[in-house]
Amino acid sequence: MKKIIFTIIATLLLAYIGFTIFYFARQKRADTVCKEVEIIIADSLKKHFLSESDIVAYLKNRNVYPLNRETGKINTDSIEKALMKNEIIEKAEVIQKNSGNIKIVVSQKMPILRVFTGGGNYFVDSSGKTMPTVPGQAIYVPVASGNIEKTFAVSQLYKFALFLQNDAFWNDQIEQIYVRNENEVEIIPRVGDQTIILGSLENFEQKLRKLRLFYEQVIPRMGWEKYSVINLRYKNQIVCTKKQ
């Protein structure tokens, strides 16, 4: 019985000590201010869309920049939510250190397609979301133009661009995409000056397999300059138009 009572008393004493340490540490933090904000752009060596000064200015404009604020009044969740509203940022993590200082880690979106429309232009990123263009940045991705609705850009065109990015041959080969009415697609290769008609993007992988066989088996015999149009719209056949 004495052993049980001793165990209970010891447990309560440890809990009290732990609570006291936590309470005074919290009070100490509440009485201090954030003296340093460390900003890490995790993928800055690969992508240069954002700088530390951009993030500082962005947070100041939204009145959530934590420098020189009382640490007890800093809401890390609010800072994260503000950062995630930036269309260039893919992920954001805000950490408050024991000192009360703040560490911010962000990752940028990766564009895989640039879309030009009558209403302006934008990128589609690797997760199928749009992001704005970045002035002064040369980003080498396929360019899509023509009659493009945004819903088509972030669905079918996104899947097509993602396929191109993940295939070394087609990533090097295709640089322009043109969308006609009813989402009929044409592509313009880097090599040669032919217009390649895909038609709809349904079964585009099969259509590109046909085109690659054409490149490997026909072009070496006939040459790049023989045809002006290569039409892949029809099932199980390739229709070519000779140059005049």
Side-chain angles (χ1 to χ4, degrees):
M1 184 67 178
K2 289 182 179 180
K3 187 175 182 180
I4 295 174
I5 294 173
F6 176 79
T7 301
I8 293 172
I9 292 173
T11 302
L12 291 173
L13 183 60
L14 287 173
Y16 173 76
I17 292 171
F19 173 79
T20 302
I21 293 172
F22 171 78
Y23 175 80
F24 282 106
R26 186 173 180 181
Q27 285 298 108
K28 184 178 179 181
R29 179 181 291 182
D31 294 336
T32 61
V33 297
C34 172
K35 297 179 180 179
E36 180 184 9
V37 178
E38 180 186 7
I39 297 174
I40 298 174
I41 303 175
D43 44 10
S44 60
L45 293 179
K46 295 181 179 179
K47 293 169 274 186
H48 310 283
F49 311 139
L50 286 173
S51 65
E52 291 183 27
S53 59
D54 292 330
I55 294 173
V56 171
Y58 182 84
L59 293 176
K60 284 182 176 179
N61 287 338
R62 284 148 187 81
N63 199 32
V64 290
Y65 188 58
L67 188 65
N68 295 326
R69 294 194 177 188
E70 292 183 19
T71 56
K73 296 181 180 180
I74 295 173
N75 188 326
T76 56
D77 288 340
S78 295
I79 299 173
E80 285 184 5
K81 288 177 182 177
L83 288 169
M84 291 305 297
K85 290 180 180 179
N86 186 311
E87 291 183 299
I88 297 177
I89 293 175
E90 182 177 26
K91 294 179 183 178
E93 183 180 13
V94 180
I95 303 163
Q96 190 170 43
K97 301 178 182 180
N98 290 331
S99 62
N101 294 335
I102 294 294
K103 179 179 180 179
I104 298 173
V105 182
V106 300
S107 297
Q108 303 164 93
K109 291 182 177 180
M110 172 62 80
I112 61 171
L113 178 71
R114 186 166 188 173
V115 179
F116 284 87
T117 67
N121 67 94
Y122 55 88
F123 287 111
V124 176
D125 75 358
S126 57
S127 62
K129 298 177 181 177
T130 61
M131 61 178 286
T133 57
V134 183
Q137 292 289 334
I139 302 172
Y140 299 102
V141 294
V143 173
S145 59
N147 186 23
I148 304 175
E149 296 290 338
K150 187 166 287 189
T151 52
F152 180 69
V154 299
S155 55
Q156 295 187 58
L157 270 183
Y158 156 69
K159 293 177 182 177
F160 184 57
L162 193 62
F163 172 84
L164 298 181
Q165 184 192 52
N166 292 326
D167 187 290
F169 177 81
W170 291 117
N171 190 45
D172 289 338
Q173 183 66 16
I174 296 174
E175 62 178 354
Q176 293 185 47
I177 303 164
Y178 186 77
V179 181
R180 296 191 177 277
N181 293 333
E182 298 181 0
N183 296 332
E184 292 278 302
V185 172
E186 297 177 1
I187 55 179
I188 300 172
R190 294 183 193 275
V191 180
D193 58 356
Q194 301 88 3
T195 297
I196 300 169
I197 300 174
L198 285 183
S200 75
L201 286 178
E202 184 179 358
N203 300 321
F204 68 81
E205 293 184 34
Q206 180 181 349
K207 294 175 181 178
L208 290 179
R209 280 197 295 270
K210 289 192 300 181
L211 180 60
R212 185 159 184 175
L213 284 173
F214 182 82
Y215 282 165
E216 294 172 349
Q217 297 177 11
V218 178
I219 292 297
R221 292 187 290 108
M222 307 302 293
W224 286 103
E225 305 303 320
K226 187 174 183 64
Y227 302 108
S228 60
V229 178
I230 301 173
N231 193 336
L232 305 169
R233 183 188 286 115
Y234 308 106
K235 188 175 181 180
N236 297 325
Q237 60 178 318
I238 299 177
V239 179
C240 297
T241 302
K242 292 182 180 180
K243 288 186 177 179
Q244 299 297 321

